[in-house]
Amino acid sequence: MALITKRNEKVKRNLRKYRKTKFNYENFISEYYIDDDGKAYISAKVTSLYDIISKHSIEDYEWVNPTFIEYIETMAYYIPVEESIVIEICGHKFNEKEQNLIKRVLTQYFGLKFGDAIIDINIMKRKSYTLLIFGAISTLLFMLLNLINVIPTISEIIAIGLWFFLWEYLDLIFLDGSDLATKKLEAAQLANVKIIFNEKEK
């Protein structure tokens, strides 16, 4: 019994401590990512070209190494979108041709991601316009049927349709729309990265 009581007290103390725990996110970001020049640096250690470019790529149709790009996107996720990002590739000496290849492939990849984000937003806008039109038609039908005293069941079906279109429209605009806008900003941030090379390992 004494052990149970002691454990309960420990659990309560821990819960109180966890509730009071604070984390200064801005300070962490500044110390971990932001350099003296005010830019956010993502440093990536590589040992060869194939750490960045997929070894399965063929010339002029190169593609990124999924592991490398996953690392960059994971690091970038925590950087506020208002910050400029610099990708610093460390640990290997690349010649000018390899550097240009890396810059081109990464720029193309991030550009495609940005293009995808724009396409997703355009699709969302078209869906929202369609839902708005159907919602307006349902509203007019509902009002018209109520005026001419049509069978209540039909009016109820129209009302259900009206609420469905309205709910879907609001969900699309305020939830999906907000997520897509954030993704577009994040994609734009990476589409504007600067890529530098540092043959020394940090």
Side-chain angles (χ1 to χ4, degrees):
M1 185 68 178
L3 285 173
I4 294 173
T5 305
K6 191 174 181 181
R7 175 167 172 71
N8 287 341
E9 287 175 1
K10 183 181 177 183
V11 168
K12 287 177 183 176
R13 276 199 312 274
N14 285 343
L15 288 173
R16 280 196 296 271
K17 182 174 77 173
Y18 299 153
R19 288 190 187 105
K20 292 177 182 177
T21 299
K22 293 181 180 178
F23 178 72
N24 193 321
Y25 186 78
E26 289 182 5
N27 280 353
F28 174 78
I29 294 297
S30 295
E31 291 172 8
Y32 193 80
Y33 289 103
I34 312 299
D35 210 335
D36 296 335
D37 59 3
K39 292 181 180 178
Y41 279 74
I42 299 175
S43 298
K45 175 187 170 184
V46 299
T47 56
S48 75
L49 180 66
Y50 295 123
D51 285 344
I52 304 168
I53 309 297
S54 173
K55 64 181 179 180
H56 304 293
S57 299
I58 60 174
E59 192 173 355
D60 295 328
Y61 291 94
E62 293 87 0
W63 193 242
V64 290
N65 183 319
T67 306
F68 178 82
I69 211 67
E70 182 184 2
Y71 169 76
I72 296 297
E73 289 178 334
T74 300
M75 297 293 283
Y77 174 80
Y78 296 100
I79 300 173
V81 290
E82 64 271 15
E83 301 290 348
S84 296
I85 294 178
V86 177
I87 296 175
E88 182 183 29
I89 298 171
C90 309
H92 185 78
K93 186 174 182 178
F94 293 102
N95 60 41
E96 187 178 349
K97 183 180 178 182
E98 290 172 330
Q99 288 185 14
N100 290 334
L101 172 63
I102 290 165
K103 287 179 180 179
R104 176 174 62 80
V105 172
L106 290 179
T107 301
Q108 286 175 347
Y109 174 83
F110 292 130
L112 284 171
K113 293 281 281 188
F114 181 59
D116 285 345
I118 292 173
I119 290 169
D120 288 342
I121 284 179
N122 290 335
I123 291 170
M124 184 271 298
K125 284 179 180 177
R126 285 197 293 271
K127 282 182 180 178
S128 68
Y129 294 149
T130 303
L131 287 168
L132 193 59
I133 290 166
F134 278 110
I137 292 169
S138 298
T139 303
L140 290 172
L141 277 174
F142 181 72
M143 292 170 65
L144 182 64
L145 292 174
N146 278 338
L147 282 174
I148 58 176
N149 293 322
V150 175
I151 303 168
T153 308
I154 297 175
S155 291
E156 286 174 9
I157 292 170
I158 298 293
I160 291 168
L162 170 61
W163 279 110
F164 170 77
F165 291 127
L166 180 62
W167 181 264
E168 287 295 310
Y169 175 77
L170 293 174
D171 183 56
L172 196 64
I173 292 297
F174 292 106
L175 296 179
D176 293 349
S178 177
D179 288 344
L180 289 175
T182 301
K183 285 179 181 177
K184 181 185 172 185
L185 278 175
E186 291 170 349
Q189 182 187 38
L190 282 171
N192 288 282
V193 294
K194 182 180 179 183
I195 301 163
I196 63 173
F197 298 87
N198 181 0
E199 61 186 83
K200 295 179 182 177
E201 186 179 322
K202 286 191 117 182

